[in-house]
PDB file of all heavy atoms in Angstrom:
ATOM      1  N   ASN A 102      93.793 104.099  10.804  1.00 91.00           N
ATOM      2  CA  ASN A 102      94.327 105.157  11.638  1.00 91.00           C
ATOM      3  C   ASN A 102      93.345 105.585  12.725  1.00 91.00           C
ATOM      4  O   ASN A 102      93.797 105.873  13.864  1.00 91.00           O
ATOM      5  CB  ASN A 102      94.700 106.342  10.791  1.00 91.00           C
ATOM      6  CG  ASN A 102      95.932 106.061   9.915  1.00 91.00           C
ATOM      7  OD1 ASN A 102      96.860 105.429  10.302  1.00 91.00           O
ATOM      8  ND2 ASN A 102      95.917 106.570   8.661  1.00 91.00           N
ATOM      9  N   ARG A 103      92.093 105.558  12.390  1.00 90.00           N
ATOM     10  CA  ARG A 103      91.109 105.970  13.408  1.00 90.00           C
ATOM     11  C   ARG A 103      91.051 104.956  14.573  1.00 90.00           C
ATOM     12  O   ARG A 103      90.893 105.297  15.725  1.00 90.00           O
ATOM     13  CB  ARG A 103      89.720 106.109  12.725  1.00 90.00           C
ATOM     14  CG  ARG A 103      88.618 106.667  13.612  1.00 90.00           C
ATOM     15  CD  ARG A 103      88.951 108.085  14.086  1.00 90.00           C
ATOM     16  NE  ARG A 103      87.898 108.631  14.967  1.00 90.00           N
ATOM     17  CZ  ARG A 103      87.837 108.371  16.224  1.00 90.00           C
ATOM     18  NH1 ARG A 103      88.755 107.580  16.832  1.00 90.00           N
ATOM     19  NH2 ARG A 103      86.877 108.879  16.977  1.00 90.00           N
ATOM     20  N   ARG A 104      91.163 103.693  14.216  1.00 90.00           N
ATOM     21  CA  ARG A 104      91.139 102.667  15.215  1.00 90.00           C
ATOM     22  C   ARG A 104      92.378 102.822  16.123  1.00 90.00           C
ATOM     23  O   ARG A 104      92.310 102.644  17.353  1.00 90.00           O
ATOM     24  CB  ARG A 104      91.166 101.222  14.635  1.00 90.00           C
ATOM     25  CG  ARG A 104      89.768 100.728  14.227  1.00 90.00           C
ATOM     26  CD  ARG A 104      89.788  99.276  13.891  1.00 90.00           C
ATOM     27  NE  ARG A 104      90.580  98.953  12.715  1.00 90.00           N
ATOM     28  CZ  ARG A 104      90.044  98.823  11.474  1.00 90.00           C
ATOM     29  NH1 ARG A 104      88.793  99.046  11.289  1.00 90.00           N
ATOM     30  NH2 ARG A 104      90.824  98.545  10.469  1.00 90.00           N
ATOM     31  N   ALA A 105      93.487 103.196  15.565  1.00 89.00           N
ATOM     32  CA  ALA A 105      94.708 103.403  16.320  1.00 89.00           C
ATOM     33  C   ALA A 105      94.572 104.555  17.270  1.00 89.00           C
ATOM     34  O   ALA A 105      94.989 104.499  18.456  1.00 89.00           O
ATOM     35  CB  ALA A 105      95.914 103.720  15.375  1.00 89.00           C
ATOM     36  N   ARG A 106      93.917 105.671  16.784  1.00 89.00           N
ATOM     37  CA  ARG A 106      93.686 106.816  17.657  1.00 89.00           C
ATOM     38  C   ARG A 106      92.707 106.470  18.842  1.00 89.00           C
ATOM     39  O   ARG A 106      92.889 106.838  19.939  1.00 89.00           O
ATOM     40  CB  ARG A 106      93.126 107.995  16.852  1.00 89.00           C
ATOM     41  CG  ARG A 106      94.122 108.643  15.935  1.00 89.00           C
ATOM     42  CD  ARG A 106      93.670 109.983  15.431  1.00 89.00           C
ATOM     43  NE  ARG A 106      92.536 109.903  14.524  1.00 89.00           N
ATOM     44  CZ  ARG A 106      92.685 109.769  13.199  1.00 89.00           C
ATOM     45  NH1 ARG A 106      93.845 109.668  12.613  1.00 89.00           N
ATOM     46  NH2 ARG A 106      91.607 109.682  12.408  1.00 89.00           N
ATOM     47  N   TRP A 107      91.706 105.673  18.445  1.00 89.00           N
ATOM     48  CA  TRP A 107      90.670 105.251  19.419  1.00 89.00           C
ATOM     49  C   TRP A 107      91.352 104.398  20.520  1.00 89.00           C
ATOM     50  O   TRP A 107      91.148 104.616  21.721  1.00 89.00           O
ATOM     51  CB  TRP A 107      89.563 104.462  18.756  1.00 89.00           C
ATOM     52  CG  TRP A 107      88.534 103.943  19.643  1.00 89.00           C
ATOM     53  CD1 TRP A 107      87.432 104.671  20.102  1.00 89.00           C
ATOM     54  CD2 TRP A 107      88.445 102.646  20.236  1.00 89.00           C
ATOM     55  NE1 TRP A 107      86.667 103.873  20.930  1.00 89.00           N
ATOM     56  CE2 TRP A 107      87.261 102.671  21.047  1.00 89.00           C
ATOM     57  CE3 TRP A 107      89.240 101.518  20.164  1.00 89.00           C
ATOM     58  CZ2 TRP A 107      86.886 101.536  21.728  1.00 89.00           C
ATOM     59  CZ3 TRP A 107      88.819 100.429  20.844  1.00 89.00           C
ATOM     60  CH2 TRP A 107      87.664 100.399  21.631  1.00 89.00           C
ATOM     61  N   LYS A 108      92.226 103.542  20.104  1.00 88.00           N
ATOM     62  CA  LYS A 108      92.890 102.627  21.022  1.00 88.00           C
ATOM     63  C   LYS A 108      93.813 103.419  21.947  1.00 88.00           C
ATOM     64  O   LYS A 108      93.844 103.179  23.191  1.00 88.00           O
ATOM     65  CB  LYS A 108      93.707 101.616  20.264  1.00 88.00           C
ATOM     66  CG  LYS A 108      94.420 100.625  21.123  1.00 88.00           C
ATOM     67  CD  LYS A 108      95.396  99.821  20.436  1.00 88.00           C
ATOM     68  CE  LYS A 108      96.211  98.971  21.447  1.00 88.00           C
ATOM     69  NZ  LYS A 108      97.311  98.248  20.769  1.00 88.00           N
ATOM     70  N   SER A 109      94.506 104.388  21.330  1.00 87.00           N
ATOM     71  CA  SER A 109      95.413 105.201  22.130  1.00 87.00           C
ATOM     72  C   SER A 109      94.628 105.986  23.201  1.00 87.00           C
ATOM     73  O   SER A 109      95.047 106.073  24.353  1.00 87.00           O
ATOM     74  CB  SER A 109      96.117 106.175  21.180  1.00 87.00           C
ATOM     75  OG  SER A 109      96.933 107.076  21.895  1.00 87.00           O
ATOM     76  N   LYS A 110      93.532 106.529  22.789  1.00 87.00           N
ATOM     77  CA  LYS A 110      92.673 107.269  23.760  1.00 87.00           C
ATOM     78  C   LYS A 110      92.138 106.383  24.877  1.00 87.00           C
ATOM     79  O   LYS A 110      92.143 106.736  26.024  1.00 87.00           O
ATOM     80  CB  LYS A 110      91.504 107.880  22.981  1.00 87.00           C
ATOM     81  CG  LYS A 110      90.607 108.752  23.740  1.00 87.00           C
ATOM     82  CD  LYS A 110      89.496 109.392  22.934  1.00 87.00           C
ATOM     83  CE  LYS A 110      88.372 109.869  23.798  1.00 87.00           C
ATOM     84  NZ  LYS A 110      87.065 109.294  23.446  1.00 87.00           N
ATOM     85  N   LYS A 111      91.707 105.210  24.493  1.00 87.00           N
ATOM     86  CA  LYS A 111      91.182 104.276  25.508  1.00 87.00           C
ATOM     87  C   LYS A 111      92.285 103.856  26.502  1.00 87.00           C
ATOM     88  O   LYS A 111      92.064 103.710  27.693  1.00 87.00           O
ATOM     89  CB  LYS A 111      90.612 103.023  24.818  1.00 87.00           C
ATOM     90  CG  LYS A 111      89.247 103.242  24.189  1.00 87.00           C
ATOM     91  CD  LYS A 111      88.238 103.531  25.245  1.00 87.00           C
ATOM     92  CE  LYS A 111      87.044 104.246  24.665  1.00 87.00           C
ATOM     93  NZ  LYS A 111      86.151 104.776  25.694  1.00 87.00           N
ATOM     94  N   LEU A 112      93.512 103.673  25.990  1.00 86.00           N
ATOM     95  CA  LEU A 112      94.597 103.288  26.863  1.00 86.00           C
ATOM     96  C   LEU A 112      94.935 104.464  27.825  1.00 86.00           C
ATOM     97  O   LEU A 112      95.182 104.219  29.029  1.00 86.00           O
ATOM     98  CB  LEU A 112      95.861 102.957  26.011  1.00 86.00           C
ATOM     99  CG  LEU A 112      95.824 101.598  25.342  1.00 86.00           C
ATOM    100  CD1 LEU A 112      97.087 101.447  24.436  1.00 86.00           C
ATOM    101  CD2 LEU A 112      95.795 100.487  26.323  1.00 86.00           C
ATOM    102  N   GLU A 113      94.840 105.648  27.340  1.00 85.00           N
ATOM    103  CA  GLU A 113      95.080 106.828  28.190  1.00 85.00           C
ATOM    104  C   GLU A 113      94.030 106.887  29.302  1.00 85.00           C
ATOM    105  O   GLU A 113      94.274 107.128  30.458  1.00 85.00           O
ATOM    106  CB  GLU A 113      95.041 108.113  27.399  1.00 85.00           C
ATOM    107  CG  GLU A 113      96.365 108.564  26.897  1.00 85.00           C
ATOM    108  CD  GLU A 113      96.325 109.892  26.178  1.00 85.00           C
ATOM    109  OE1 GLU A 113      95.587 110.758  26.674  1.00 85.00           O
ATOM    110  OE2 GLU A 113      96.979 110.033  25.153  1.00 85.00           O
ATOM    111  N   GLU A 114      92.738 106.633  28.903  1.00 87.00           N
ATOM    112  CA  GLU A 114      91.677 106.679  29.917  1.00 87.00           C
ATOM    113  C   GLU A 114      91.848 105.553  30.929  1.00 87.00           C
ATOM    114  O   GLU A 114      91.641 105.755  32.125  1.00 87.00           O
ATOM    115  CB  GLU A 114      90.290 106.486  29.178  1.00 87.00           C
ATOM    116  CG  GLU A 114      89.896 107.752  28.409  1.00 87.00           C
ATOM    117  CD  GLU A 114      88.636 107.495  27.594  1.00 87.00           C
ATOM    118  OE1 GLU A 114      87.980 106.424  27.728  1.00 87.00           O
ATOM    119  OE2 GLU A 114      88.250 108.383  26.788  1.00 87.00           O
ATOM    120  N   GLU A 115      92.223 104.422  30.413  1.00 87.00           N
ATOM    121  CA  GLU A 115      92.435 103.284  31.318  1.00 87.00           C
ATOM    122  C   GLU A 115      93.522 103.584  32.331  1.00 87.00           C
ATOM    123  O   GLU A 115      93.478 103.312  33.528  1.00 87.00           O
ATOM    124  CB  GLU A 115      92.756 102.007  30.522  1.00 87.00           C
ATOM    125  CG  GLU A 115      92.917 100.776  31.315  1.00 87.00           C
ATOM    126  CD  GLU A 115      91.590 100.167  31.806  1.00 87.00           C
ATOM    127  OE1 GLU A 115      90.530 100.668  31.342  1.00 87.00           O
ATOM    128  OE2 GLU A 115      91.592  99.250  32.655  1.00 87.00           O
ATOM    129  N   TYR A 116      94.597 104.236  31.774  1.00 87.00           N
ATOM    130  CA  TYR A 116      95.741 104.550  32.653  1.00 87.00           C
ATOM    131  C   TYR A 116      95.302 105.568  33.745  1.00 87.00           C
ATOM    132  O   TYR A 116      95.609 105.445  34.913  1.00 87.00           O
ATOM    133  CB  TYR A 116      96.850 105.179  31.829  1.00 87.00           C
ATOM    134  CG  TYR A 116      97.981 105.820  32.617  1.00 87.00           C
ATOM    135  CD1 TYR A 116      98.906 105.026  33.206  1.00 87.00           C
ATOM    136  CD2 TYR A 116      98.014 107.176  32.771  1.00 87.00           C
ATOM    137  CE1 TYR A 116      99.953 105.606  34.007  1.00 87.00           C
ATOM    138  CE2 TYR A 116      99.050 107.733  33.582  1.00 87.00           C
ATOM    139  CZ  TYR A 116      99.984 106.956  34.156  1.00 87.00           C
ATOM    140  OH  TYR A 116     101.010 107.511  34.864  1.00 87.00           O
ATOM    141  N   SER A 117      94.516 106.594  33.330  1.00 87.00           N
ATOM    142  CA  SER A 117      94.065 107.617  34.313  1.00 87.00           C
ATOM    143  C   SER A 117      93.209 106.949  35.399  1.00 87.00           C
ATOM    144  O   SER A 117      93.319 107.310  36.602  1.00 87.00           O
ATOM    145  CB  SER A 117      93.265 108.664  33.610  1.00 87.00           C
ATOM    146  OG  SER A 117      94.060 109.368  32.703  1.00 87.00           O
ATOM    147  N   LYS A 118      92.341 106.020  34.935  1.00 89.00           N
ATOM    148  CA  LYS A 118      91.476 105.390  35.917  1.00 89.00           C
ATOM    149  C   LYS A 118      92.264 104.561  36.940  1.00 89.00           C
ATOM    150  O   LYS A 118      92.006 104.657  38.171  1.00 89.00           O
ATOM    151  CB  LYS A 118      90.520 104.451  35.122  1.00 89.00           C
ATOM    152  CG  LYS A 118      89.408 103.829  35.952  1.00 89.00           C
ATOM    153  CD  LYS A 118      88.545 102.958  35.076  1.00 89.00           C
ATOM    154  CE  LYS A 118      87.862 101.913  35.900  1.00 89.00           C
ATOM    155  NZ  LYS A 118      87.340 100.803  35.084  1.00 89.00           N
ATOM    156  N   LEU A 119      93.228 103.782  36.461  1.00 91.00           N
ATOM    157  CA  LEU A 119      94.015 102.944  37.353  1.00 91.00           C
ATOM    158  C   LEU A 119      94.878 103.818  38.229  1.00 91.00           C
ATOM    159  O   LEU A 119      95.032 103.519  39.436  1.00 91.00           O
ATOM    160  CB  LEU A 119      94.963 102.036  36.479  1.00 91.00           C
ATOM    161  CG  LEU A 119      94.257 100.908  35.757  1.00 91.00           C
ATOM    162  CD1 LEU A 119      95.197 100.179  34.848  1.00 91.00           C
ATOM    163  CD2 LEU A 119      93.636  99.923  36.790  1.00 91.00           C
TER     164      LEU A 119
END
Side-chain angles (χ1 to χ4, degrees):
Chain A
N102 289 323
R103 186 64 181 81
R104 278 193 293 268
R106 289 194 291 272
W107 179 83
K108 182 191 172 188
S109 174
K110 182 176 163 239
K111 284 294 158 190
L112 285 174
E113 270 186 36
E114 288 174 5
E115 184 75 10
Y116 170 77
S117 296
K118 187 181 159 198
L119 288 173

